[in-house]
Amino acid sequence: MTKRLTALTARTAHLLDLATRTRFPYQAATIRIGFSLVFATFLIREWPHRRTLYGDHSPWSREMALRVIGEDQAFTALAWWPGHWWFETVYHGTLLAALLLMVGWRSRAMSGLFMVGVLSLEFRAPYLGDGGDSVFITMAVYLVLIRCGEVWSLDACRRRAGAEDRSGPLLWQLTGVLLGLVLGLPDFGWAGLLWALWAGCGLRFAADRWFPRHEARTVLDGLTAMLHNVGMLIIAVQVCFIYATAGWYKIQGSRWQEGSALHYALHLDHFRPWPMLSDLLAAGMIPVVLLGYATVAVQVAFPFTLASRKIKNTLLAVMMVEHAGIAVVLGLPFLSAAMIVCDALFLPTALLLWIDSRLDRRGLRPGSGSEVPAAVPSIPEGRRPEPAKHLGR
């Protein structure tokens, strides 16, 4: 009985140790860099048309937008104040947050500001998107849950250098003042969620400053790591749902069943940025039919291939090439880029570690010269066990 209890205790301790480690930090950094870069590029590209798309020149007026937002219980910071200058502040603030999140400066705070900016712009004009807007909205929310700045970030460089955190608390105080002026007291809606994020960041700053070696800090770090792991799992499941639903909906369509869906898509004016290329591809009916069937098969099969590393990695390469082709042929660069970033979540850790070593060798990685394990322990330095040797898949 004593041996069984000892074995159960050891197994429980092992599972708890696995749960309180930040899993897949390189994949988290990849999607952080990818989504912030793609959305920042989108904002820069649409900068000359920003007022027509989301501002006071938009055909979708502010009154109509507020009505739909109220019915859908959506969120946009553009509803807080009217006027051109507030719109400019939100637009350029979102761009700045995306760029800072991309380089990993105050990743946790910037992920929250990035979420606010993405939701504010996308829900201001919800009928402008091409499918990529839904991906951006979903992933911007999930980025708040994960530790996306453990590697490949200025935050990681600062932690390795042991520099004192001075700007973080100041940024937290300024954000609290802004929330108080704009939102007032928290409630059970979006205001309550933003205040909860603000309070969580404050709790972390307090623990780092006043209780760096206390047991409460260990518990807080473990809970944060578990939230990260759950967030990474949710993102993976969400990507699987995207592909599965897209594939099964295609199966139900008669055009996809007979294999002519891509032929018709290549003849739509909205999806012909290169007419000569579209005509050339549409001329071969048999390749178009085979490509349509292959697209459906890949999307339906993807969630079931995650159990096999070799098949999954092969299918990832095929899907990334397919999205790149869609970006060029059908003129959907941002939707395709968003899906490529989603695919990057499933890249093998060994490949990302190889990329990290190459960057380190060339001196391009922030804080190069220090080793980062594939699973980052979430326990203060004085209590950390030996880094995990197993790199996963």
Side-chain angles (χ1 to χ4, degrees), residues 233-252:
L233 177 62
I234 292 175
I235 294 175
V237 172
Q238 181 69 50
V239 175
C240 291
F241 277 147
I242 291 175
Y243 281 119
T245 52
W248 286 106
Y249 271 116
K250 287 182 175 66
I251 289 177
Q252 301 175 40

Side-chain angles (χ1 to χ4, degrees), residues 3 65 92 134 168 229 277 279 298 338 372-373:
K3 293 183 178 180
H92 292 91
S134 300
N229 296 333
L277 178 60
D279 293 337
V298 166
V372 180

Side-chain angles (χ1 to χ4, degrees), residues 5 13 20 24 32 58 95 150 211 227 233 374:
L5 183 60
T20 55
F24 309 112
R32 182 202 86 228
S58 175
L95 176 59
E150 294 295 318
F211 309 103
L227 181 63
L233 177 62

Side-chain angles (χ1 to χ4, degrees), residues 24-366:
F24 309 112
Y26 289 94
Q27 285 83 351
T30 300
I31 61 176
R32 182 202 86 228
I33 296 171
F35 280 115
S36 56
L37 174 61
V38 173
F39 200 75
T41 305
F42 170 75
L43 294 180
I44 294 173
R45 179 201 175 190
E46 301 298 342
W47 188 86
H49 317 289
R50 64 192 185 282
R51 296 180 67 179
T52 304
L53 294 177
Y54 306 110
D56 52 341
H57 293 173
S58 175
W60 187 251
S61 67
R62 185 173 184 272
E63 290 72 21
M64 292 189 293
L66 292 179
R67 180 176 178 181
V68 174
I69 290 170
E71 293 174 354
D72 297 341
Q73 296 183 347
F75 169 83
T76 175
L78 295 175
W80 294 348
W81 282 312
H84 169 61
W85 289 110
W86 176 241
F87 161 74
E88 295 288 355
T89 301
V90 172
Y91 191 94
H92 292 91
T94 304
L95 176 59
L96 179 61
L99 294 175
L100 292 177
L101 181 62
M102 181 181 66
V103 299
W105 186 80
R106 305 296 172 193
S107 303
R108 190 170 299 278
M110 289 304 118
S111 63
L113 295 177
F114 180 71
M115 177 193 71
V116 171
V118 171
L119 296 182
S120 298
L121 295 176
E122 295 292 355
F123 284 133
R124 170 61 179 84
Y127 304 113
L128 290 178
D130 55 6
D133 55 332
S134 300
V135 178
F136 283 122
I137 290 172
T138 304
M139 296 306 169
V141 174
Y142 293 154
L143 276 175
V144 178
L145 302 178
I146 65 175
R147 284 178 161 178
C148 55
E150 294 295 318
V151 297
W152 294 345
S153 66
L154 296 179
D155 291 341
C157 180
R158 187 189 71 252
R159 285 192 295 267
R160 283 192 288 268
E164 184 180 356
D165 187 2
R166 296 181 178 179
S167 58
L170 178 60
L171 179 63
W172 177 77
Q173 294 173 18
L174 293 177
T175 306
V177 172
L178 179 61
L179 288 178
L181 292 175
V182 175
L183 298 180
L185 296 177
D187 54 25
F188 293 99
W190 285 99
L193 174 62
L194 295 179
W195 276 113
L197 293 175
W198 180 82
C201 291
L203 183 61
R204 182 57 185 265
F205 285 134
D208 290 342
R209 181 171 182 177
W210 291 306
F211 309 103
R213 302 294 179 182
H214 195 271
E215 191 69 25
R217 164 66 190 278
T218 306
V219 175
L220 180 62
D221 239 354
L223 292 176
T224 306
M226 285 190 283
L227 181 63
H228 162 88
N229 296 333
V230 172
M232 292 293 289
L233 177 62
I234 292 175
I235 294 175
V237 172
Q238 181 69 50
V239 175
C240 291
F241 277 147
I242 291 175
Y243 281 119
T245 52
W248 286 106
Y249 271 116
K250 287 182 175 66
I251 289 177
Q252 301 175 40
S254 58
R255 294 290 181 265
W256 287 97
Q257 292 177 7
E258 65 187 22
S260 62
L262 290 181
H263 175 80
Y264 288 110
L266 291 172
H267 287 84
L268 294 175
D269 292 336
H270 292 294
F271 302 106
R272 288 168 59 89
W274 315 98
M276 293 182 62
L277 178 60
S278 298
D279 293 337
L280 179 63
L281 294 175
M285 193 62 192
I286 294 179
V288 169
V289 171
L290 294 179
L291 185 59
Y293 285 149
T295 300
V296 176
V298 166
Q299 291 180 346
V300 173
F302 176 73
F304 303 99
T305 63
L306 298 182
S308 174
R309 179 173 54 182
K310 294 183 179 179
I311 298 177
K312 182 260 294 181
N313 293 339
T314 303
L315 203 59
L316 276 179
V318 172
M319 294 168 68
M320 288 183 175
V321 172
E322 179 187 9
H323 288 308
I326 292 174
V328 175
V329 177
L330 299 182
L332 298 171
F334 294 105
L335 170 61
S336 300
M339 294 311 302
I340 290 175
V341 176
C342 289
D343 296 339
L345 175 69
F346 299 96
L347 290 175
T349 303
L351 174 62
L352 298 177
L353 288 174
W354 177 81
I355 295 174
D356 181 73
S357 65
R358 298 288 292 183
L359 294 175
D360 190 11
R361 193 173 305 168
R362 295 175 179 269
L364 299 177
R365 177 168 66 86

